[in-house]
Structures are given as structure tokens and as C-alpha cells.
Amino acid sequence: MVNRHEHTGFCGQCDKIRIARAALHLWEEPCISIGLGSGAVFFSGCTLRCCFCQNHEISHGGKGFTVTTSELAEIFLRLQSEGAENINLVSPTPFVPSIIEALDIARGKLRIPVVYNCGGFERVETIRALEGYVDIYLPDIKYFSDEYAKEYSGCPGSYFETAISAVREMQNQVGKPRFDERGKLLKGVIVRHMVLPTLRHDSIEVLKALRENFEPDEILLSLMSQYVPMYRAVSEERFKKINRRVSTFEYNSVLDFARELGFDGYSQERSSSDECFVPEFFGSEQEACSHENSN
């Protein structure tokens, strides 16, 4: 444990809230991005060190700007006024205490669901602290093998057991998925898993373990084919095995297995594997406001 009032944590952040984007976002699962879109707030820093991170500018590169808890609450309410269907907290883990404070400030005015969109490597204690604040959990379980988690995501501990324990707590809190009449998700857990090149057997182990822990109607599954080699996966020779897009065979074999297990949820078109879906991030509040005003 690190006192982030005095030191920078493994996540790369101190105790000040840093964000890099807050805007309507249409590229999540359909039940999240319904209508005008999700009100996505992208936080700086990350609890993992994925060599292929599409958001590496903010997760590892330090891009972003500081906001106070009151300003964060105002951002939530602004996104709601712009027509956001939910508040989508993207990689929020380093700032959970401050986010809870901001949600308390907005309480009574914020009338849309709150989405906790995270990398899956979460402490159960963190998730328990969010009970009553989060309506939808959107964790990403990346690997079954701790060896792959260490090799490709710099995971400092037992990745899968940590992630599945957190997801069990998430599901215990919010229960089975519930939708409104338009198909908008109001409560529930969507477990994301991105199929990586050469790792389809590990993906199948992830699905087996999910089925051992959950009945198919207790969670939704989002199988992603959007992997694009980026960041260190392109520049470093030791990651050459994943320096390509996932093949149709690899993705479809995992998708077919998920169907055999009875999971409901979402799959992706192969066209999603494109850098154009990576959002633009900002290093200052002025830069973010200028971009917003020009759109």
C-alpha cells in the first residue's frame, strides 16, 4: 500500500483527480451507448501495465489534467444535461474515494445509472466501498493464466483470482442484468474479454472459469475482437507474438465456445479492429474545452 498523499502509486497517480476526456461516447456495448451515448469520463493512470494498451497516452503516458471533486460532480451533471444515458467511469480505480465524494455532491441531481468501467484487477475492498454508488459494472477479465498477465500486463500479483473475486462481489451487489423498455441497461454486470492473438486457448479457460462462477443469466458477456497492435506490442521484439490482429478463426472459436456455455451478451464486427475507435485525449482543461466548443 502507498500513501498517495505523499507518493505516486503503481497506477502512476497521486491523490489529485486527473482526467483526460469527458464527453458523450458511442463506442461501448449497445445497452450502454444507447441514445446520444454514454457520458464517459476517462481517468488518467491504471492499475495494470498492458503492453498493448490503446489508451496508453493516459494510462501510462501521464496525459490528463487535474479537477477537484466539486468540478468532477459538475462534469457528471453536465454530461447528464447533454443527454448522456449514464455516467461511464473509465479506469477510475486510482480515484475511488474522490469519485465517491463527487457522487455524494451530485446525489439528488444525478438521475442516470453510474457505470464502473475497469480493467478487472480490483481489490474486493474497493468494490465493497462502491456499493450503493454503482449501478453497472463493466470489468475486463483479460487472462486466465497469471503468466500471461505478468508478461503482457505487468501484473504484480495473482491476476485471475483477484479479478474473479472482484467480479463476484460486483454481481452480488447489483444482481442480474435489468433493462428498461428501450434496451438500456439499468443494473448488472457485463464482463468484457478481448481475444488476443495466439491466446485463444487462454480465452477458453477464462470462459470456463466464468461459467464455473456464474449462471449464464447472472452476467452478460462481451467478447471483443477489437485488438490492434499498439504501444509496446509494436515496438518491442519480445511482444512479437501479439504484434498482429486476431484472426477470424481465433475469434470465432472463442465466440462459438461462449455460445455453447449459454452466455448472452455481445460480440464485435471485425471492423472494430481499427485505431480510429481510440478517442482523443487532452492534456489540459483548456484544450478539452476548446475541442468541446468546436464540435
Side-chain angles (χ1 to χ4, degrees):
M1 299 289 287
V2 173
N3 181 352
R4 290 200 288 117
H5 294 290
E6 300 176 359
H7 304 284
T8 298
F10 179 81
C11 60
Q13 302 301 305
C14 61
D15 61 328
K16 301 291 191 297
I17 310 168
R18 286 174 57 81
I19 68 172
R21 183 183 179 89
L24 297 177
H25 189 64
L26 290 167
W27 299 333
E28 308 288 23
E29 286 74 7
C31 64
I32 300 291
S33 296
I34 193 169
L36 294 178
S38 178
V41 182
F42 289 83
F43 292 87
S44 302
C46 188
T47 57
L48 293 172
R49 292 286 183 271
C50 300
C51 65
F52 50 82
C53 182
Q54 294 183 345
N55 295 348
H56 60 88
E57 283 185 305
I58 63 172
S59 61
H60 307 152
K63 199 167 192 178
F65 54 91
T66 301
V67 296
T68 66
T69 52
S70 295
E71 288 169 338
L72 185 59
E74 290 171 5
I75 287 170
F76 296 159
L77 296 174
R78 171 179 64 79
L79 290 169
Q80 177 177 256
S81 70
E82 291 174 357
E85 297 284 353
N86 46 65
I87 298 299
N88 183 0
L89 309 171
V90 185
S91 298
T93 308
F95 308 107
V96 163
S98 298
I99 289 170
I100 288 173
E101 185 178 339
L103 289 170
D104 280 334
I105 293 171
R107 191 181 294 274
K109 298 178 182 178
L110 193 64
R111 299 177 299 277
I112 53 179
V114 174
V115 181
Y116 191 82
N117 182 345
C118 66
F121 192 61
E122 304 282 336
R123 298 171 68 239
V124 169
E125 292 83 358
T126 301
I127 304 306
R128 286 178 181 155
L130 290 162
E131 187 165 7
Y133 290 93
V134 171
D135 304 286
I136 299 161
Y137 284 101
L138 191 55
D140 181 8
I141 293 190
K142 300 178 184 296
Y143 319 96
F144 181 78
S145 164
D146 287 341
E147 179 183 343
Y148 292 140
K150 183 177 181 180
E151 180 178 2
Y152 295 125
S153 292
C155 181
S158 176
Y159 174 81
F160 184 80
E161 188 51 45
T162 300
I164 199 68
S165 297
V167 176
R168 283 195 296 262
E169 176 62 26
M170 295 172 186
Q171 204 281 331
N172 286 338
Q173 281 185 22
V174 298
K176 295 180 180 181
R178 291 199 292 110
F179 299 85
D180 70 7
E181 65 280 357
R182 296 180 301 142
K184 170 182 165 179
L185 187 62
L186 301 175
K187 286 271 189 181
V189 177
I190 304 177
V191 177
R192 284 175 166 171
H193 175 72
M194 184 164 65
V195 181
L196 296 174
T198 76
L199 299 190
R200 67 185 180 90
H201 294 295
D202 191 70
S203 292
I204 286 172
E205 292 303 317
V206 168
L207 297 183
K208 286 179 181 177
L210 284 173
R211 184 62 185 86
E212 290 170 0
N213 281 271
F214 302 102
E215 294 297 322
D217 66 341
E218 290 182 323
I219 61 171
L220 295 168
L221 179 65
S222 180
L223 275 182
M224 304 159 72
S225 64
Q226 70 184 51
Y227 178 79
V228 181
M230 294 183 70
Y231 190 39
R232 294 165 59 211
V234 174
S235 62
E236 297 186 24
E237 176 67 16
R238 65 192 180 108
F239 300 126
K240 64 181 180 180
K241 289 194 295 186
I242 59 170
N243 188 10
R244 65 169 174 84
R245 286 169 166 77
V246 66
S247 71
T248 299
F249 168 75
E250 288 170 322
Y251 181 67
N252 285 346
S253 63
V254 178
L255 184 59
D256 289 344
F257 190 72
R259 289 170 176 153
E260 288 176 19
L261 293 177
F263 283 115
D264 192 13
Y266 305 94
S267 58
Q268 286 186 323
E269 299 290 336
R270 298 309 309 285
S271 59
S272 64
S273 178
D274 196 305
E275 292 183 32
C276 72
F277 293 107
V278 179
E280 184 176 1
F281 300 117
F282 306 103
S284 71
E285 187 174 6
Q286 292 77 14
E287 186 182 356
C289 289
S290 297
H291 180 270
E292 182 184 331
N293 292 334
S294 67
N295 289 335

